[in-house]
């Protein structure tokens, strides 16, 4: 209060000192004749001889501090000193902002230290390292994830090129279209750091480090607390944030464009938000709280204000119904560098931090889980307690459920048998409360609800419930919630697996333990029950069942395992087309069942669930590192697996530690971390593929944004997995360095790959030298597909050198869409005349032209040529090349199939070609002559149309059937071809 009075005193003195003597005299005169603030006026006798300091004292004494400033502004305005009034008003508002910022700073500077049994506080900045935030994540409406960010089927997810890493200070900056977003939705999985980020924004704004010029006021709305409020207004939100009841609401509302409302935890709101009528436009108007929030979302109230809304992605569909326009960002969690920073901040002690970090980094699963802040906190808590007790760190669990269970176990002290029974009763009550809350979509509980389940704060597990005082109308009520929503979901899962006792069974207030209903509801919604179901699987792990019995003297029933197995099997069948239900390929669009099996972490369960499948296809997913762990675990235990195809997936959350650093600091980071191995985004998958029990034969990765580091890990698989005979990559990312690393594995003696596909931008000319070395070395490789790559002159030349090597065993080479020209055909012709293994060459959709065909035919005519199949479709050929082809056909003794479709060869060209076909030495069995212009001419009755019965490969089915039914080779219409067919009836022409 003293600081406030001093600030007001200084404001008034400054305002009065800036008046001229004449203006000061007019001010006092007006002041003595005006009844202001309902208190009358200061007697003129007191003001006549009053100096400026005296006048200030009279104002404060007569009207009080805040009112004295308002009175002075009114008098200034009445005597036309508008500049002085404006300056004093601005000074008053600055004072309000300064006071508010001081209060916000004090309020958000500390956070409760949940790792301490005394629940003391720690400084926010000592615990909050930066989090990776991704701008414009792939269409969030189609995505749902909880503990990890996992995606649903989304065909539009191709690459990460539309996303960029942002920071909290750039959330409200102009986008590429020059628009500044007014509403930003900050998405994040459970425990990823949404609330901590919201608190950090409040604190950084208050200390002047964030949005200093952007926002005059930032107000925080806690959705969990809001559930307890029935009615209110936007003004009430301001009052709730203000340190006292003297908030300058009118001044604040005069500049709505300078206001930011942070709405934290939208997914925790219990309202449906389906009402679009009777919305509010007046910030003073009191309405049901869901109407107030909906009005803010829909911009019917304070439309110029800004909103930052945090939410789990599972609630995004509901949120989208309320928002007119918004942009999205997604918290991905800690980078590897951030995890290290967090460990050091958490432990404080350098030696402990180093020891803990060394242990956790040695466990890939634990270290990966640490990218989620709440998991990092729990793991640090458990490891710290184990270090302080001198216990074996190796006992730390490798799953989310296991870590939660270990954390809760660490809070329970040894008790007598009598107290154990009391503890069991409390545990059951806690689990019943949690399940009740999950079904009711309720996360804040009042005392009456706790008593309903036999709970009270003192006897409940420490740190399981938080107690806060919430404002509900005029009365204060005690309200409780679990320390984090994920803990409520953990206890809810535990409710379903605890063996019942007689007392529990007779309690009508306890929710029914109907697991089938739980799974059915989850299968239909795939949202708020996600984490509960995962924990349900995790708690049925045999090792965790023993921990529950030893620590809490409670038994977990395994009776529901068959129900879970049936659910997984049924869920997988739902993703199969009806015609494929009995086939052995599993098409995966949602990894949720894989996460559930990973939580259970029992190999036999996975074998039973996936034992029927020999092929897995994962399509259109954005995979976090946790997704990869779950998927890899199931792949490892799918022992009949022979084929794995992953397409249009992104492997998110590689180590961005270096990427997010300013350019000047990157070199220092590189020096400090030069000796640390860099795991790629597919490291976990490659690790399980190298398992001796894995018998994979085919691996396909299509448009998965692979990096050079990914190729290094794939190379390691190639050198250790002799069962792998087919590898297919289609990606533009790896680059020459990546292909070089891949080729090292292909050259390894243990590599038995027979079919290799590197398609559509996967390889450039510079890498063809490495590929040529593979051709010279690898004795298993018989098929190479390089479709869609721009190889260039030097690339083709290097490739051909490898193909001509005596050790090369390649039989099939595909070079479709490789931007080849006649300039490259000389080198290819040399291969044809040299290679003793090459039997098939595909050059379709290249600008080979007639000169290129001439060169190729020179190779075909050489006696050493072994080619059997040649594809020159869509290669810009004319009738001029038909003579060279006819010459080659009459000479070559091995060519059995020729495709020159897609060209208009004319009558003269066909006639020349037929001369070669009729030659006794011609061995051709199949000839492709399909042509778009010939097909079009067919309808006009052109007698030169030469499309015969057979398959028109690039034409619609209806048209193909039409041609087959209405057209055949006849002597009248096609004398040249009829003559050929008469001589060689076995020749198949299409």
């Amino acid at each position: 209060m003293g600081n406030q009075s001093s600030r007001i005193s200084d404001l008034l003195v400054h305002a009065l000192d800036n008046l001229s003597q004449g203006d000061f005299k007019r001010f006092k005169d007006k002041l003595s004749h005006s009844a202001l603030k309902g208190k009358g006026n200061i007697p003129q006798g007191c003001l006549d001889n009053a100096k400026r300091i005296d006048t200030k004292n009279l104002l404060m004494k007569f009207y009080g501090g805040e009112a004295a400033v308002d009175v002075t502004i009114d008098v200034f305005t009445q005597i036309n000193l508008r500049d002085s009034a404006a300056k004093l008003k601005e000074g008053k508002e600055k004072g309000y902002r300064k006071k508010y910022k001081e209060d916000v700073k004090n309020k958000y500077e500390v956070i409760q230290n949940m790792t301490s049994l005394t629940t003391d506080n720690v400084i926010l900045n000592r615990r909050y390292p930066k989090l990776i935030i991704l701008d414009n994540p792939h269409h969030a409406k189609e995505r749902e994830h909880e503990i990890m960010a996992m995606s649903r089927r989304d065909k539009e997810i191709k690459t990460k090129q539309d996303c960029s890493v942002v920071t909290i200070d750039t959330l409200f900056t102009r986008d590429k279209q020059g628009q500044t977003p007014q509403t930003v939705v900050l998405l994040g999985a459970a425990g990823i750091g949404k609330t901590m980020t919201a608190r950090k924004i409040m604190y950084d704004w208050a200390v002047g480090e964030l949005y200093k010029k952007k926002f005059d006021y930032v107000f925080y709305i806690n959705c969990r607390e809001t559930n307890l409020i029935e009615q209110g207004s936007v003004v009430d939100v301001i009052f709730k944030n203000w340190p006292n009841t003297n908030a300058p609401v009118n001044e604040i509302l005069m500049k709505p464009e300078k206001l930011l409302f942070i709405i934290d935890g939208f997914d925790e709101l219990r309202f449906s938000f389906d009402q679009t009528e009777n919305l509010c436009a007046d910030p003073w108007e009191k309405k049901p709280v869901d109407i107030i929030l909906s009005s803010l979302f829909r911009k019917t109230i304070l439309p110029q204000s800004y909103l930052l809304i945090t939410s789990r992605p599972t609630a995004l569909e509901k949120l989208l119904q309320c928002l007119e326009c918004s942009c999205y960002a997604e918290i991905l969690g800690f980078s590897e560098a951030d995890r290290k920073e967090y460990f050091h901040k958490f432990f404080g002690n350098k030696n402990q931090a180093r020891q803990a970090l060394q242990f956790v980094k040695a466990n890939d699963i634990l270290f990966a889980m640490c990218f989620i802040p709440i998991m990092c906190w729990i793991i640090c808590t458990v490891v710290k307690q184990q270090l302080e007790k001198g216990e074996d760190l190796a006992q730390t669990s490798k799953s989310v459920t296991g870590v939660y269970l270990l954390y809760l176990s660490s809070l329970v002290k040894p008790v007598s048998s009598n107290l154990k029974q009391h503890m069991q009763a409390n545990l059951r009550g806690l689990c019943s409360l949690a399940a009740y809350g999950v079904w009711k979509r309720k996360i804040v509980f009042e005392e009456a609800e706790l008593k309903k389940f036999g709970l009270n704060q003192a006897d409940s597990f420490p740190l399981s419930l938080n107690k806060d005082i919430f404002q509900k109308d005029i009365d204060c009520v005690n309200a409780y919630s679990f320390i984090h929503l994920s803990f409520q979901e953990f206890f809810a899962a535990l409710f379903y697996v605890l063996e019942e006792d007689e007392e529990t069974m007779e309690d009508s207030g306890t929710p029914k333990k109907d697991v089938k209903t739980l799974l059915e509801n989850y299968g239909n919604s795939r949202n708020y029950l996600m984490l509960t179901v995962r924990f349900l699987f995790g708690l049925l792990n045999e090792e965790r069942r023993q921990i529950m019995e030893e620590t809490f003297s409670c038994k977990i029933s395994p009776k529901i395992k068959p129900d879970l197995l049936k659910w997984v099997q049924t869920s997988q069948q739902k993703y199969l087309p009806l015609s494929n239900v009995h086939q052995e390929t599993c098409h995966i669009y949602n990894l949720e069942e894989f996460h559930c099996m990973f939580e259970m972490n029992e190999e036999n369960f996975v074998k039973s669930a996936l034992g029927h499948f020999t092929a897995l296809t994962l399509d259109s997913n954005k995979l976090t590192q946790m997704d990869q762990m779950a998927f890899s675990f199931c792949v490892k235990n799918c022992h009949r697996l022979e084929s794995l195809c992953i397409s249009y997936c992104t492997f998110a959350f590689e180590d961005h530690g270096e990427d997010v650093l300013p350019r000047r600091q990157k070199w220092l980071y590189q020096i400090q971390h030069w000796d640390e191995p860099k795991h790629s985004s597919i490291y976990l998958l490659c690790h399980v593929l190298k398992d001796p029990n894995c018998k994979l034969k085919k691996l396909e990765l299509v448009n998965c944004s692979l990096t050079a580091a990914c190729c290094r890990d794939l190379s390691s698989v190639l050198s250790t997995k002799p069962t792998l005979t087919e590898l297919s990559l289609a990606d533009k990312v790896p680059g020459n360095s990546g292909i070089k690393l891949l080729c090292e594995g292909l050259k390894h003696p243990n590599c038995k790959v027979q079919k290799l596909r590197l398609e559509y931008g996967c390889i450039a000319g510079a890498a063809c030298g490495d590929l040529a070395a593979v051709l010279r070395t690898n004795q298993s490789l018989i098929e190479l597909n390089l479709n869609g790559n721009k190889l260039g002159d030097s690339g083709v030349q290097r490739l051909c050198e490898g193909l001509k090597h005596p050790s090369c065993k390649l039989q099939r080479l595909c070079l479709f869409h490789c931007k080849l020209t006649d300039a490259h055909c000389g080198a290819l012709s040399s291969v044809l005349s040299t290679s003793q293994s090459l039997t098939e060459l595909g050059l379709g959709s290249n600008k080979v032209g007639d000169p290129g065909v001439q060169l190729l035919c020179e190779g075909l005519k050489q006696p050493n040529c072994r080619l059997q199949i040649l594809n020159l479709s869509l290669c810009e050929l004319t009738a001029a090349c038909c003579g060279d082809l006819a010459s080659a056909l009459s000479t070559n003794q091995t060519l059995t199939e020729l495709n020159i479709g897609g060209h208009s060869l004319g009558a003269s060209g066909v006639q020349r070609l037929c001369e070669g076909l009729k030659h006794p030495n011609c061995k051709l069995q199949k000839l492709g002559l399909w042509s778009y212009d010939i097909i079009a001419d067919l309808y006009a009755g052109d007698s030169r149309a030469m499309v015969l019965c057979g398959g028109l490969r690039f034409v619609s089915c209806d048209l193909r059937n039409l041609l087959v039914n209405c057209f055949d080779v006849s002597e009248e219409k096609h004398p040249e071809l009829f003559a050929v067919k008469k001589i060689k009836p076995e020749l198949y022409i299409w």
Side-chain angles (χ1 to χ4, degrees):
M1 186 64 70
N3 290 337
Q4 176 78 350
S5 178
S6 175
R7 181 181 60 79
I8 292 172
S9 177
D10 291 342
L11 270 176
L12 290 172
V13 169
H14 182 74
L16 296 175
D17 280 347
N18 284 335
L19 299 179
S20 65
Q21 189 62 35
D23 287 340
F24 178 56
K25 186 176 180 182
R26 286 196 301 131
F27 173 80
K28 290 194 294 180
D29 183 61
K30 191 67 175 177
L31 187 62
S32 65
H33 291 90
S34 299
L36 301 167
K37 290 292 178 182
K39 288 190 176 183
N41 55 309
I42 301 174
Q44 186 171 358
C46 297
L47 289 168
D48 283 341
N49 297 317
K51 296 182 180 179
R52 297 175 196 244
I53 293 291
D54 301 328
T55 303
K56 179 267 296 181
N57 290 336
L58 286 168
L59 281 164
M60 294 186 67
K61 181 179 179 181
F62 196 81
Y63 295 106
E66 296 282 351
V69 177
D70 294 335
V71 166
T72 304
I73 292 171
D74 287 346
V75 174
F76 280 170
T77 303
Q78 290 179 40
I79 62 176
N80 208 28
L81 295 177
R82 299 190 181 278
D83 287 344
S84 298
K87 289 179 181 178
L88 180 55
K89 187 175 182 180
E90 182 181 353
K92 175 189 174 185
E93 290 174 359
K94 283 183 178 179
Y96 284 136
R97 288 198 295 272
K98 183 179 179 182
K99 178 67 179 70
Y100 178 64
K101 285 186 174 184
E102 287 174 357
D103 184 73
V104 169
K105 174 183 174 296
N106 294 334
K107 183 175 181 179
Y108 292 94
E109 186 175 22
V110 297
I111 56 174
Q112 194 173 24
N113 181 15
M114 301 310 301
T115 66
S116 168
L117 290 174
T118 59
T119 60
D120 55 348
N121 294 325
V122 293
I123 303 299
L124 174 68
N125 281 344
R126 291 180 184 172
R127 279 286 168 87
Y128 183 92
K130 61 183 176 297
L131 294 165
I132 295 175
I133 304 176
L134 200 65
D135 184 28
N136 188 27
H138 299 296
H139 202 290
K141 184 178 179 180
E142 305 240 348
R143 305 185 55 240
E144 11 178 273
H145 55 189
E146 283 308 328
I147 257 302
M148 318 309 133
M150 58 158 285
S151 300
R152 293 182 59 194
R153 185 177 186 178
D154 179 1
K155 291 292 186 182
E156 296 181 356
I157 296 179
K158 304 297 184 187
T159 65
K160 293 187 288 186
Q161 62 187 10
D162 294 330
C163 300
S164 58
V165 175
V166 296
T167 53
I168 55 178
D169 59 323
T170 60
L171 290 175
F172 291 97
T173 54
R174 294 182 184 274
D175 58 21
K176 294 177 181 178
Q177 287 74 40
Q179 301 294 319
T180 302
Q182 277 194 289
T183 301
V184 174
V185 178
L186 190 58
L187 299 170
I192 205 75
K194 300 183 295 295
T195 294
M196 191 72 80
T197 299
R199 294 180 67 91
K200 176 69 171 171
I201 291 172
M202 291 294 295
Y203 177 77
D204 284 352
W205 171 80
V207 297
E209 294 180 359
L210 188 66
Y211 308 140
K212 189 173 183 179
K213 296 181 179 179
K214 183 76 176 174
F215 301 121
D216 285 347
Y217 293 96
V218 181
F219 300 112
Y220 181 84
I221 300 175
N222 186 320
C223 292
R224 181 171 293 198
E225 296 181 19
T226 304
N227 283 320
L228 293 176
I229 302 172
E230 294 177 1
Q231 281 203 332
S233 66
V234 171
V235 170
D236 290 334
V237 171
I238 295 172
F239 278 129
K240 182 170 176 56
N241 279 264
W242 208 259
N244 52 52
T245 58
N246 296 322
V249 175
N250 289 324
E251 287 84 352
I252 292 171
L253 295 178
M254 284 179 65
K255 295 180 180 179
E257 73 279 3
K258 303 291 281 184
L259 305 181
L260 171 64
F261 293 91
I262 297 178
I263 301 165
D264 184 28
F266 175 85
D267 55 284
E268 300 182 6
L269 291 170
R270 58 182 172 83
F271 313 113
S272 62
F273 292 104
D274 53 2
Q275 186 173 343
T276 58
E277 298 178 356
N278 300 320
L279 297 179
C280 183
D282 181 2
W284 291 89
E285 185 179 3
K286 288 185 180 293
K287 288 235 178 186
V289 71
D290 59 323
I291 297 296
I292 297 299
L293 289 174
S294 189
S295 301
L296 279 172
F297 297 150
R298 298 178 191 275
K299 293 294 181 182
T300 64
I301 190 170
L302 300 178
Q304 294 172 294
S305 65
Y306 289 78
L307 302 179
L308 175 63
I309 306 169
T310 73
S311 176
R312 287 185 181 185
T314 49
L316 190 57
E317 189 171 351
K318 182 170 75 172
L319 178 57
L320 286 173
Q321 296 172 0
C322 306
L323 300 179
E324 298 297 323
C325 184
S326 59
C327 73
Y328 304 91
E330 181 179 8
I331 300 178
L332 295 185
F334 290 151
S335 71
E336 185 171 336
D338 296 333
R339 281 173 258 180
K340 295 177 184 177
E341 180 185 347
Y342 185 91
F343 268 70
H344 283 281
K345 285 185 174 184
F346 183 95
F347 284 92
N349 182 302
K350 286 185 178 181
N351 291 330
Q352 269 196 349
R354 190 182 300 111
Q355 188 178 354
L357 192 58
Q358 185 177 359
F359 161 71
V360 174
K361 284 191 72 174
N363 185 321
D364 289 331
I365 295 175
L366 276 184
F367 192 58
M369 283 196 290
C370 283
F371 87 85
I372 304 170
I374 193 170
M375 294 305 300
C376 203
W377 159 60
I378 292 174
I379 289 170
C380 283
T381 301
V382 172
V383 170
K384 185 174 184 180
Q385 290 175 351
Q386 288 178 318
L387 283 173
E388 290 174 348
K389 294 177 182 178
E391 295 177 352
D392 184 9
L393 292 179
Q395 298 304 312
T396 305
S397 183
K398 296 180 180 180
S399 75
V400 176
T401 309
V403 170
Y404 272 61
L405 188 57
L406 198 57
Y407 170 70
L408 292 171
S409 300
S410 69
L411 301 177
V412 179
K413 298 177 181 179
V415 293
S416 64
S417 57
N418 290 334
L419 288 176
K420 271 192 176 182
Q421 291 182 349
H422 188 60
M423 182 175 67
Q424 290 172 20
N426 272 323
L427 177 61
R428 293 183 187 280
L430 209 56
C431 293
S432 299
L433 176 70
Y436 162 80
V438 165
W439 282 112
K440 296 290 186 181
R441 306 292 296 273
K442 192 175 181 67
I443 57 177
V444 178
F445 308 97
E446 298 178 24
E447 282 190 344
E449 291 171 305
L450 267 66
K451 291 177 181 177
K452 176 182 177 182
F453 296 104
L455 293 169
N456 61 69
Q457 224 281 339
D459 292 332
S460 299
F461 282 104
L463 305 186
S464 297
L465 293 174
N466 272 342
K467 179 181 178 182
D468 292 299
I469 301 298
F470 296 113
Q471 198 73 27
K472 183 179 180 183
D473 294 333
I474 301 173
D475 304 320
C476 283
V477 297
N478 287 327
Y480 300 84
S481 65
F482 290 83
I483 55 173
H484 191 271
L485 182 54
S486 59
F487 278 90
Q488 180 176 336
E489 292 160 315
F490 174 86
F491 281 111
L494 190 55
F495 165 79
Y496 284 94
V497 296
L498 282 179
E499 286 191 354
E500 296 180 347
D501 56 17
E502 293 181 3
E503 184 178 341
T504 304
M505 294 173 68
E506 293 174 359
D507 186 359
S508 59
T510 303
K512 293 183 179 180
K513 293 189 175 184
D514 190 345
V515 174
K516 290 182 180 179
T517 301
L518 174 70
L519 295 174
E520 182 180 340
N521 276 270
Y522 172 56
N524 293 333
S525 62
R526 294 269 165 179
N527 48 33
Y528 68 99
L529 295 173
M530 180 182 287
L531 207 51
T532 302
V533 172
R534 288 194 194 176
F535 282 136
L536 185 68
F537 276 78
L539 287 166
L540 289 173
N541 174 276
E542 190 62 37
E543 184 180 330
R544 287 167 216 146
R545 288 177 59 207
Q546 291 177 7
I547 292 175
M548 280 298 301
E549 189 165 352
E550 292 171 2
T551 307
F552 304 106
S553 299
C554 292
K555 290 185 178 181
I556 290 181
S557 172
K559 292 180 181 178
I560 65 169
K561 260 190 182 180
D563 292 330
L564 300 186
L565 179 60
K566 185 177 180 180
W567 177 74
V568 171
Q569 293 170 333
T570 304
S571 297
Q572 290 303 330
Q573 284 188 352
K574 283 195 299 187
Y575 300 123
L576 299 176
L578 290 176
S579 59
N580 289 343
V581 169
H582 300 294
Q583 294 186 8
E584 297 185 338
T585 299
C586 177
H587 295 270
I588 306 160
Y589 302 107
N590 190 309
L591 283 170
E592 184 52 28
E593 289 77 22
F594 282 56
H595 275 288
C596 291
M597 289 186 284
F598 177 66
E599 277 304 304
M600 186 178 286
N601 211 3
E602 288 190 355
E603 296 182 2
N604 289 333
F605 188 91
V606 180
K607 291 174 185 175
S608 299
L610 302 178
H612 175 64
F613 298 114
T614 59
L616 294 180
T617 299
L618 179 64
D619 186 38
S620 302
N621 269 266
K622 180 182 176 184
L623 303 171
T624 66
Q625 201 159 0
M626 205 68 183
D627 290 329
Q628 295 170 58
M629 284 191 291
F631 182 66
S632 299
F633 171 76
C634 293
V635 167
K636 178 183 177 182
N637 293 292
C638 188
H639 283 186
R640 294 187 64 221
L641 187 66
E642 296 180 353
S643 173
L644 176 60
C645 175
I646 304 175
S647 58
Y648 296 104
C649 291
T650 54
F651 293 85
F653 205 74
E654 288 186 79
D655 179 23
H656 295 274
E658 178 181 343
D659 297 340
V660 297
L661 289 175
R663 187 177 298 177
R664 296 178 182 177
Q665 297 179 22
K666 279 191 177 182
W667 67 273
L668 181 59
Y669 182 94
Q670 291 166 350
I671 291 173
Q672 292 173 340
H673 301 273
W674 69 272
D675 59 339
E676 296 181 8
K678 291 279 186 180
H679 286 170
S680 79
S681 57
I682 61 170
Y683 166 77
L684 292 171
L685 176 63
C686 291
H687 182 70
V688 301
L689 293 181
K690 291 189 289 184
D691 188 275
N693 292 322
C694 177
K695 306 300 181 185
L696 196 72
K697 295 179 180 179
K698 177 182 177 181
L699 176 62
E700 187 173 353
L701 297 168
V702 179
N703 285 346
C704 290
S705 302
L706 303 181
T707 63
C710 295
C711 290
R712 181 196 59 222
D713 287 331
L714 285 172
S715 179
S716 178
V717 173
L718 293 171
S719 63
T720 55
K721 184 56 57 180
T723 61
L724 190 65
T725 58
E726 190 171 344
L727 175 65
S728 179
L729 304 180
D731 216 313
K732 295 181 180 179
V733 181
N736 295 331
S737 59
I739 298 300
K740 186 178 184 68
L741 289 166
L742 190 70
C743 287
E744 291 301 316
L746 289 165
K747 290 187 293 184
H748 196 278
N750 289 336
C751 177
K752 304 300 178 185
V753 168
Q754 298 174 15
K755 297 179 181 180
L756 176 64
R757 295 182 181 87
L758 302 172
E759 298 181 292
Y760 302 104
C762 200
I763 183 172
C768 286
D770 298 302
L771 206 52
V774 172
L775 294 173
R776 293 192 297 268
T777 307
N778 190 302
Q779 299 296 293
S780 303
L781 191 63
I782 58 174
E783 182 177 322
L784 178 61
N785 187 327
L786 300 177
N787 293 342
N789 294 293
K790 187 177 180 180
L791 302 179
D793 296 343
S794 61
V796 173
Q797 188 65 42
R798 290 171 184 168
L799 188 65
C800 288
E801 291 300 321
L803 290 166
K804 290 189 292 184
H805 195 275
S807 298
C808 177
K809 305 300 181 186
L810 200 73
Q811 298 175 15
R812 185 172 188 262
L813 176 63
C814 295
L815 298 173
F816 289 78
H817 298 283
C818 286
K819 298 189 181 299
L820 302 180
T821 66
D822 58 290
H824 303 116
C825 291
L828 291 168
S829 179
S830 177
V831 172
L832 296 179
S833 63
T834 307
S835 174
Q836 297 299 293
S837 61
L838 191 66
T839 58
E840 181 176 348
L841 177 62
L843 299 175
S845 301
N846 286 294
K847 295 182 179 181
V848 173
D850 298 333
V853 171
Q854 184 179 15
L855 291 169
L856 291 171
C857 287
E858 291 300 319
L860 286 170
K861 290 188 287 187
Q862 296 302 313
N864 289 331
C865 178
R866 298 289 181 266
L867 200 70
Q868 298 174 16
I869 301 173
L870 176 61
N871 191 317
L872 294 171
S873 59
L874 297 173
C875 283
E876 301 187 3
L877 309 183
T878 69
C881 74
C882 291
D884 295 308
L885 286 171
S887 176
L889 290 172
S890 63
T891 306
N892 186 285
Q893 298 296 295
T894 59
L895 195 66
T896 59
E897 183 175 331
L898 174 64
N899 187 345
I900 51 175
H903 305 106
S904 180
L905 302 178
S908 61
V910 173
Q911 187 173 0
R912 289 177 199 168
L913 193 63
C914 286
E915 291 173 3
L917 292 169
K918 289 185 288 186
H919 195 281
N921 290 335
C922 177
K923 307 299 181 184
L924 207 67
Q925 298 174 14
K926 294 181 181 180
L927 174 63
L929 287 174
W930 56 270
S931 173
Y932 294 127
D933 61 332
I934 290 176
I935 292 167
D937 291 342
L938 178 62
Y939 289 104
D942 193 323
S943 62
R944 293 178 301 132
M946 297 168 295
V947 184
L948 306 183
C949 302
L952 287 169
R953 292 184 177 179
F954 300 94
V955 186
S956 70
C957 182
D958 291 340
L959 181 56
R960 179 167 64 245
N961 291 335
L962 173 66
L963 293 172
V964 169
N965 291 332
C966 73
F967 188 74
D968 59 358
V969 179
S970 66
E971 184 174 11
E972 181 183 352
K973 292 183 178 180
H974 320 97
E976 302 93 347
L977 290 172
F978 184 82
V980 172
K981 289 286 288 182
K982 194 171 182 179
I983 297 170
K984 297 183 176 181
E986 74 280 0
L987 180 62
Y988 174 71
I989 307 176
W990 78 92

